[in-house]
């Protein structure tokens, strides 16, 4: 049976690695994109006005769904619009 001695430096190195792994997990989750965006999020993402967003809805360039009084836009549709233009 072999005995290993763990030093304070070993523990400090383990702590550093563990914290880095945890940070990477949180960073991965924060970069995930939501599937549905509200009008305000779309306006900010595309840097457009409310009127321009309304024009995109009216002419069918950007599809949307209305739930209650809130309009939602599919993120994949927005990506397609950006890639097309």
């Amino acid at each position: 049976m072999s005995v290993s001695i763990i030093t304070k430096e070993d523990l400090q190195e383990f702590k550093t690695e563990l914290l880095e792994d945890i940070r990477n997990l949180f960073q991965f989750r924060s970069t995930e994109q939501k599937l549905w965006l509200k009008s305000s999020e779309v306006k900010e993402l595309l840097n457009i006005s409310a009127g321009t967003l309304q024009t995109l809805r009216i002419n069918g360039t950007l599809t949307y769904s209305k739930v209650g009084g809130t309009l939602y836009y599919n993120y994949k549709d927005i990506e397609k619009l950006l890639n097309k233009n």
Side-chain angles (χ1 to χ4, degrees):
M1 175 182 209
S2 87
V3 176
S4 297
I5 298 175
I6 299 176
T7 64
K8 286 184 180 182
E9 290 80 21
D10 293 334
L11 290 174
Q12 185 64 35
E13 184 179 333
F14 174 72
K15 174 184 158 188
T16 304
E17 290 175 9
L18 182 61
L19 288 173
E20 185 63 31
D21 289 343
I22 292 171
R23 277 190 207 106
N24 289 338
L25 286 174
F26 280 112
Q27 185 177 19
F28 176 74
R29 286 192 180 148
S30 67
T31 59
E32 290 179 1
Q33 183 59 47
K34 294 190 314 187
L35 182 59
W36 294 95
L37 302 174
K38 292 183 180 180
S39 294
S40 59
E41 295 168 321
V42 175
K43 290 188 300 184
E44 184 178 328
L45 180 67
L46 299 177
N47 195 25
I48 58 175
S49 67
T52 302
L53 184 57
Q54 182 178 8
T55 302
L56 293 174
R57 281 195 314 265
I58 290 171
N59 65 20
T61 304
L62 191 57
T63 59
Y64 65 96
S65 296
K66 188 171 185 176
V67 179
T70 308
L71 298 174
Y72 291 95
Y73 303 84
N74 190 321
Y75 184 76
K76 291 182 181 181
D77 292 340
I78 296 169
E79 277 186 328
K80 287 178 190 175
L81 175 67
L82 289 173
N83 290 334
K84 188 169 91 174
N85 295 331

